[in-house]
Every structure is written in structure tokens, then in C-alpha cells.
Amino acid sequence: MNYKLNPDQLILKCGWHKKTIYYNQIEKVTIENLKANFLADTQSVFKVPGYAIGKVYYFGMGYIYMCATRVNKNILVIYLKNGEKVGITPKNLEEFKNILIEKAGLN
């Protein structure tokens, strides 16, 4: 997993997947402990213990596009204005969260 903070966007690289999130698209950023519903219809491209890449269905949250080294605990969830949610697992969750909040102008 690689998360790159550019001046106007966050670029997620997860294996062969790449996703760009512009800071002005961000509505909210939180750190969550989630519970995946592995029995639900999933659109995940790659999901094994310890990794999640693609869309995973979570109880109470719906689908979250994951680019993470964890599936359930301590996930930084980025809520976008279009209703999409993105989950990532940077090394320093709290610091990364604060940087995103600042760059998105949410503070």
C-alpha cells in the first residue's frame, strides 16, 4: 500500500489498483473499527486476512473501497461528498488523519 499526499490530491496505490482523491471531495475523515460482512455480496478484488483491496461490505457502513493492510481494526475512513467511502491504513493513523483534515479544509 502506498499513500501519496500531493498538493491537491491523495493518490492511493494498492498493488495494480490506483485511486485519486482530491482534497476538495473529502467531507469527513474518521478512524473506525469495522466489522466486515464476508457473507454479503462483495466486490472486493483481493481480500485475505491482513489485506483488503477493492470494495468490501461492512455492517452499518455499506461498501467501503479498501486499500488497506487490515480489514477491520483501526481503519482511516475517508467520506467523500459523492457518498463513497474509502478505507486506508497508513502507519501513523492520527497524524495522517490530521493532515487530510487540514488539506481538505475541515478543521
Side-chain angles (χ1 to χ4, degrees), residues 22-96:
Y22 289 91
Y23 302 127
N24 64 2
Q25 296 175 339
I26 298 174
E27 185 173 67
K28 180 170 82 168
V29 182
T30 63
I31 296 172
E32 305 275 349
N33 289 322
L34 305 170
K35 186 169 182 181
N37 182 350
F38 294 112
L39 299 177
D41 177 36
T42 183
Q43 301 170 23
S44 179
V45 173
F46 181 69
K47 178 179 59 190
V48 295
Y51 290 96
I53 300 172
K55 289 188 178 182
V56 177
Y57 190 84
Y58 289 94
F59 289 106
M61 297 284 285
Y63 284 105
I64 298 178
Y65 179 87
M66 297 295 290
C67 181
T69 57
R70 297 182 293 278
V71 178
N72 292 311
K73 295 191 187 280
N74 293 320
I75 307 296
L76 193 145
V77 180
I78 303 166
Y79 295 79
L80 303 179
K81 292 177 181 174
N82 67 2
E84 185 181 1
K85 295 181 268 313
V86 178
I88 62 174
T89 51
K91 288 183 179 166
N92 189 332
L93 283 175
E94 203 59 49
E95 180 182 346
F96 206 94

Side-chain angles (χ1 to χ4, degrees), residues 4-22:
K4 185 174 181 184
L5 294 160
N6 286 340
D8 62 342
Q9 63 192 328
L10 168 64
I11 298 175
L12 311 176
K13 290 185 182 176
C14 316
W16 59 94
H17 285 265
K18 182 179 175 185
K19 184 168 186 68
T20 300
I21 299 172
Y22 289 91

